[in-house]
Amino acid sequence: MNSKIQFYIIIFFLALIGFGLTFYKCMFLGFPLFPGQHEEVWTVEAKVKFMAKGGPVKASFLIPSVTPGYTIKSEDFASTNYGFNKTKDEFGYRANWHARDVKGIQTLYYRVQFFGSIRSTPAPLEEEPKLPPPPFFAEPYRTAADTLIELTRSHSADTATFTGELLRSLNSPSRSQNINLLLREYNTDESKNELILSLLTRAEIPARIVRGLFLEDGIQNHPLSDLIQVYDGTEWIFYNPLNGKSGLPADFFIWQEGGKSLFDLIGGEDSNVSFSISRNLRTSLELAAYRAKSNEAKFIDFSIYSLPIDKQNSLTLLLLVPIGALVVVIMNNIVGIPTSGTFMPILIAMSFKQTELLPGLCMFCIIIGAGLQIRSYLSHLNLLFVPRISAVVIVVILLMSCMSVFSFKLGIRHGLGITFFPMIILSWTIERISIIWEEQGHKEALTQGAGSLLVACIVFLVMENSIVEHLTFTFPELILANLATILLIGNYTGYRISELRRFKSMIKE
């Protein structure tokens, strides 16, 4: 295969892997593209109260695990002098408390934290539901129910329109005599939902009640709310029994589904379950990392998120170096700005992050200027290369120490940041500029020195951008795309932007 084709294939796959992993983490794991994004974390506390008769007590409470799109972050259980375990059966998870001898009012607590949003795609259906036997209605309720069903069926076309029409008829202020008769018998919200379920079953439509919470910050001691779920032959459809609207509300968190019991109690009576809700904000990055771990995304275990926090902070600065390298390559090979070495502008820019830009520029110019004067004197002593560069390193350290002490005594806080400059790079820059000065003249030395400073400033401004900093840390795989770009630029052999001025007179002609 032609080496040129191999080169472009390598670039293509580097870019594909880099952008592909970024797309996966962003779309499927929820990693944010921009810094400062937050998500809601909901805390729901369930309080279970009952009267113990005196003697052994067994209490079993259904805990949530079914709402699609939500991720449970943490769970807490609290009780006094009760044994506890968590079990799983065919209907889901249950919290079980048990005690040998208790009497009087008892209170049990369950608290869950979760985040996310309702998943738009329906959950896969395990098996087609079986229709239970038709419910029994005594006369005259049987006649009223059958008449209502026949009238609703004549005004509808399928299961969905039948259910919507039935709910609208039951909630209409101008109800028929048959509906008024049924609602006088089923006169509470709970019994009304049972009536709807019985009418749907009598119409041979599989239906069930789903109980949960409408998420609203600040709710105290609230019971579960009911939704009706109807099977239309292909999927389960949610309906709000209070207004007949179809679809699962975006703020509804499912707690109890189908025929599961919410709370079972042996050895007590007069039980009551109430719920309180509060909302907090957490960073999207923190929740995305947690979501990835809970979804068992294996590559997260081998990413920088598995490192200790202090090591992650160190990598935040290190991951910016490839961005600096890309800027240097663009400035050098595309724009045509000469620099004194490749890494000097990057390291100086990283030093500017500690000293701030303007104080850092002043200190850099002072050190380089003083160093060039001393280097000029050393050149008259005819020293060998190694002793000469060693002498320059020692002089640079002396200058940095003196500047730190004088800055501290004069109360100039920024002067203490001189220690962040890499002394080896400063010494080498002094030596390199001196050699260019001697061999190519002062104009070329000043051009490369000014170019290095200009590129260092541009690299610093790019590194300081919060979006760039966020993307490099959150999506370190973008380094591969960065590498592909640098390789592509490295293959460019055309004119630089600064060289176009050569042809300015030709364009005018």
Side-chain angles (χ1 to χ4, degrees):
M1 185 182 292
N2 191 311
S3 60
K4 202 76 173 178
I5 296 176
Q6 289 182 358
F7 175 74
Y8 286 113
I9 289 176
I10 291 173
I11 289 178
F12 172 75
F13 277 106
L14 286 174
L16 181 66
I17 295 172
F19 287 119
L21 286 175
T22 301
F23 179 79
Y24 171 76
K25 289 174 65 176
C26 183
M27 297 302 296
F28 296 98
L29 299 181
F31 281 80
L33 270 180
F34 299 99
Q37 292 183 330
H38 291 78
E39 289 185 40
E40 294 175 336
V41 176
W42 294 95
T43 302
V44 176
E45 183 181 271
K47 183 168 70 174
V48 182
K49 294 184 71 174
F50 62 92
M51 179 66 73
K53 297 177 181 177
V57 169
K58 290 183 179 179
S60 177
F61 181 62
L62 179 70
I63 56 180
S65 59
V66 294
T67 302
Y70 284 107
T71 301
I72 292 179
K73 187 173 185 294
S74 64
E75 291 178 304
D76 297 295
F77 307 86
S79 62
T80 305
N81 298 327
Y82 274 84
F84 173 80
N85 62 19
K86 182 179 173 183
T87 59
K88 183 181 181 183
D89 57 21
E90 57 181 327
F91 298 115
Y93 290 96
R94 299 193 74 89
N96 304 298
W97 289 271
H98 34 80
R100 177 69 64 178
D101 186 14
V102 290
K103 187 176 182 180
I105 298 177
Q106 305 294 311
T107 305
L108 310 174
Y109 291 96
Y110 167 71
R111 186 171 63 182
V112 58
Q113 279 192 329
F114 57 89
F115 60 93
S117 58
I118 293 291
R119 193 170 61 196
S120 57
T121 54
L125 191 66
E126 296 179 354
E127 59 180 9
E128 188 169 334
K130 296 179 180 178
L131 192 66
F136 173 77
F137 284 94
E139 291 293 355
Y141 305 109
R142 179 176 181 176
T143 302
D146 290 341
T147 304
L148 176 60
I149 291 172
E150 288 304 318
L151 183 64
T152 305
R153 183 172 284 133
S154 65
H155 292 168
S156 60
D158 52 18
T159 299
T161 54
F162 178 91
T163 307
E165 184 67 23
L166 177 65
L167 294 177
R168 276 191 293 274
S169 301
L170 291 171
N171 292 298
S172 173
S174 57
R175 294 187 285 258
S176 66
Q177 293 181 352
N178 292 325
I179 295 177
N180 284 329
L181 176 65
L182 291 170
L183 292 182
R184 273 197 292 273
E185 178 65 15
Y186 301 89
N187 53 10
T188 64
D189 288 342
E190 188 174 353
S191 62
K192 182 182 175 183
N193 292 335
E194 292 177 0
L195 170 64
I196 295 171
L197 207 62
S198 299
L199 292 172
L200 290 169
T201 305
R202 198 167 179 83
E204 298 183 348
I205 297 175
R208 62 189 182 188
I209 293 178
V210 175
R211 309 184 73 192
L213 294 165
F214 287 97
L215 298 177
E216 184 178 346
D217 188 24
I219 284 182
Q220 299 286 334
N221 300 321
H222 199 274
L224 292 178
S225 301
D226 291 354
L227 293 180
I228 301 294
Q229 215 176 11
V230 173
Y231 183 70
D232 69 347
T234 56
E235 61 176 338
W236 288 99
I237 303 175
F238 289 89
Y239 286 91
N240 190 330
L242 299 179
N243 53 28
K245 290 183 177 178
S246 63
L248 182 61
D251 58 346
F252 193 79
F253 181 74
I254 297 175
W255 197 289
Q256 182 185 11
E257 192 174 38
K260 308 171 190 175
S261 63
L262 179 64
F263 182 61
D264 297 331
L265 178 64
I266 299 175
E269 58 186 5
D270 297 333
S271 63
N272 176 266
V273 182
S274 59
F275 299 85
S276 300
I277 304 174
S278 64
R279 186 193 66 161
N280 294 298
L281 293 178
R282 297 286 179 87
T283 62
S284 299
L285 182 60
E286 174 192 350
L287 298 181
Y290 184 86
R291 186 185 290 114
K293 288 181 180 177
S294 63
N295 291 339
E296 298 182 351
K298 296 297 183 186
F299 76 92
I300 291 294
D301 292 336
F302 297 94
S303 70
I304 59 175
Y305 301 105
S306 60
L307 299 176
I309 297 297
D310 58 332
K311 302 302 179 188
Q312 291 187 24
N313 293 335
S314 302
L315 278 175
T316 303
L317 193 61
L318 189 62
L319 289 171
L320 288 172
V321 173
I323 297 296
L326 176 63
V327 174
V328 172
V329 169
I330 292 174
M331 290 296 125
N332 205 306
N333 289 53
I334 304 297
V335 181
I337 298 177
T339 59
S340 179
T342 303
F343 297 106
M344 194 271 273
I346 302 173
L347 295 175
I348 296 301
M350 295 178 73
S351 303
F352 287 163
K353 287 179 71 66
Q354 305 293 333
T355 63
E356 298 181 11
L357 183 57
L358 289 179
L361 270 176
C362 294
M363 288 186 286
F364 180 81
C365 292
I366 291 172
I367 291 287
I368 295 296
L372 284 174
Q373 291 294 325
I374 295 171
R375 168 62 177 78
S376 175
Y377 173 74
L378 292 175
S379 65
H380 296 295
L381 302 179
N382 295 323
L383 299 176
L384 296 176
F385 175 75
V386 175
R388 190 177 65 208
I389 191 68
S390 300
V392 173
V393 170
I394 293 172
V395 169
V396 167
I397 293 174
L398 285 173
L399 288 173
M400 293 169 68
S401 303
C402 291
M403 284 192 66
S404 297
V405 173
F406 281 111
S407 299
F408 178 74
K409 293 297 182 183
L410 295 174
I412 304 174
R413 182 179 58 86
H414 292 100
L416 297 174
I418 189 69
T419 54
F420 290 108
F421 281 103
M423 59 181 179
I424 298 300
I425 293 297
L426 287 175
S427 304
W428 186 249
T429 302
I430 293 170
E431 177 67 18
R432 186 179 176 87
I433 292 178
S434 297
I435 293 174
I436 295 172
W437 193 299
E438 293 170 357
E439 295 179 354
Q440 303 179 31
H442 67 282
K443 184 178 179 181
E444 184 62 25
L446 291 176
T447 301
Q448 289 198 17
S452 298
L453 268 185
L454 176 61
V455 173
C457 292
I458 296 173
V459 171
F460 166 77
L461 293 176
V462 173
M463 286 181 172
E464 276 292 287
N465 187 286
S466 59
I467 296 177
V468 173
E469 195 171 357
H470 169 77
L471 289 176
T472 53
F473 179 76
T474 308
F475 306 103
E477 51 277 354
L478 284 175
I479 289 178
L480 297 176
N482 190 356
L483 174 60
T485 308
I486 290 176
L487 291 176
L488 199 61
I489 294 175
N491 199 38
Y492 174 72
T493 56
Y495 289 106
R496 298 177 174 88
I497 295 175
S498 60
E499 292 174 336
L500 293 179
R501 62 181 179 180
R502 295 181 186 176
F503 306 99
K504 191 174 181 180
S505 58
M506 183 183 299
I507 294 172
K508 287 181 178 178
E509 292 176 1

